[in-house]
Amino acid sequence: PHTPPRSAATTPSSDMSRARHSSRDIEFDLPGALDDMAGLASKAAIGHGARDVEVFGNGRQGRPAERQSCDVQPPPAASKKDTVVIISTNNPGRLVLFAALNPKLGEVIDWKTPADYGGFGGDEFAKVSPQKLCPVALTAGGLRLFESDVILSYVADKYAPLLENDCRGPTVEARALSALLVRVHDMYISGTNCSQPQFFSNQAVFYKAAMPGPERAARLKDLLKQLDLVESLLPPAGPYCVGDAISFADVVLYPTVAMMQDQAAASLVGSITEGRPKLAAWLAHCNADPRFRGVADKIKAFVDTFLGKAVAGITAKGCG
């Protein structure tokens, strides 16, 4: 989770350890990421205690208090290609979806996971990601970038000539609406703005067992409010967030909305499309596109594998 300093909507433009591309799309496989997170989960109980592990949003791993210092490591040496490190969770999912919409990105970007750097807890990964977040990008020019929206903006800007779907939106009004929806998502749904353990985002209400009851109740209320706000901003005719064309708002919102709806049967939140007809129609339209649904399926596999019991165990009784 994060609070981006700049919205992608305003910017021009496994074995999952690598993306494999074809003439039609980019295929991201889950087993590599799952193996990496399985090793991590064996060392820390997900959702509990001082070694709290954030597996959604930006893949934040909480570290023990005694290690919380300015231990930012110098980045690795620059490579010939841009490298983007991802896991199959919802905020990094925007990059996976953008790549699926733009297959030529598979030719110019080296896609990796934390497993390629020794896993989340290793010193090598700390050199790659100063906050131990996913995603992170190492550019061919030597920059080390983190925050999903910053990386998305960079990729969309740098590789604009290669894009089949630039996701900018066709008009000034469409771009402004897209930027607003991205900001609502990143600040009020998926963001925490603190990388320390035991700080939560609104979306965490349905999978973070360590969240105190009163906080869970307040965050659930606010999450539903933000979803209502998204509903009010969507155009009546759709089919995408700002009209006929795919925008950054679709790329950002879809992985999170699909993730929540895929867990509706077991989740405290329940169906997020019930009573929100425009959101329901938008989600159905996106789900019918294999490029979108393929991303959601990988996130669902991740959630089912690592958080199925946690999601099922958090009920309304935990909001007291």
Side-chain angles (χ1 to χ4, degrees):
H2 59 281
T3 303
R6 182 179 183 187
S7 170
T10 63
T11 304
S13 354
S14 180
D15 189 329
M16 188 180 160
S17 62
R18 277 176 173 73
R20 294 188 285 113
H21 65 276
S22 68
S23 60
R24 295 296 302 166
D25 62 3
I26 293 178
E27 179 181 354
F28 293 90
D29 296 325
L30 189 63
L34 295 184
D35 290 345
D36 181 48
M37 293 304 292
L40 177 62
S42 68
K43 297 178 182 178
I46 293 178
H48 295 277
R51 294 190 60 82
D52 186 35
V53 179
E54 175 69 74
V55 298
F56 286 132
N58 272 356
R60 171 177 61 81
Q61 178 191 5
R63 290 176 288 166
E66 63 270 17
R67 292 185 62 194
Q68 298 297 335
S69 61
C70 296
D71 56 350
V72 177
Q73 302 294 315
S79 63
K80 293 182 180 180
K81 293 174 67 175
D82 288 335
T83 298
V84 177
V85 186
I86 55 173
I87 56 175
S88 285
T89 58
N90 60 311
N91 272 341
R94 72 186 68 184
L95 294 165
V96 182
L97 180 52
F98 191 68
L101 295 169
N102 294 287
K104 290 183 179 179
L105 292 178
E107 302 171 7
V108 293
I109 295 175
D110 191 6
W111 301 88
K112 296 187 176 183
T113 73
D116 292 296
Y117 300 94
F120 273 111
D123 292 337
E124 187 180 359
F125 185 67
K127 294 178 181 179
V128 173
S129 179
Q131 298 202 75
K132 293 195 173 182
L133 302 175
C134 258
V136 63
L138 304 174
T139 74
L143 281 176
R144 175 173 55 182
L145 302 175
F146 49 95
E147 298 298 328
S148 299
D149 213 45
V150 172
I151 299 170
L152 180 59
S153 297
Y154 168 82
V155 170
D157 194 357
K158 180 174 180 177
Y159 298 109
L162 301 180
L163 302 180
E164 296 179 14
N165 293 277
D166 65 12
C167 298
R168 279 180 42 76
T171 66
V172 172
E173 290 80 6
R175 291 191 288 274
L177 177 57
S178 177
L180 180 58
L181 285 163
V182 169
R183 185 55 62 93
V184 170
H185 173 275
D186 287 352
M187 291 190 68
Y188 301 108
I189 294 177
S190 74
T192 61
N193 81 6
C194 183
S195 65
Q196 304 303 304
Q198 306 304 320
F199 284 84
F200 305 104
S201 62
N202 281 349
Q203 72 174 25
V205 297
F206 79 93
Y207 62 86
K208 298 297 276 188
M211 186 183 294
E215 180 179 356
R216 192 183 308 279
R219 288 194 175 279
L220 176 59
K221 181 178 180 180
D222 196 59
L223 173 62
L224 298 176
K225 171 187 173 181
Q226 302 307 324
L227 292 170
D228 288 340
L229 182 57
V230 169
E231 170 75 12
S232 73
L233 292 171
L234 294 176
Y240 295 108
C241 281
V242 300
D244 293 333
I246 298 172
S247 70
F248 284 117
D250 300 286
V251 171
V252 170
L253 281 171
Y254 177 78
T256 297
V257 172
M259 174 190 72
M260 290 185 178
Q261 190 62 19
D262 283 345
Q263 299 298 318
S267 168
L268 167 70
V269 181
S271 173
I272 63 172
T273 59
E274 185 176 349
R276 301 181 181 94
K278 290 188 292 183
L279 187 66
W282 168 80
L283 180 61
H285 182 78
C286 293
N287 277 338
D289 186 330
R291 299 170 299 178
F292 280 77
R293 189 61 230 178
V295 174
D297 286 343
K298 290 170 176 59
I299 295 173
K300 183 178 186 301
F302 189 97
V303 176
D304 289 346
T305 300
F306 291 103
L307 291 177
K309 290 183 179 179
V311 172
I314 296 174
T315 68
K317 294 180 180 179
C319 293

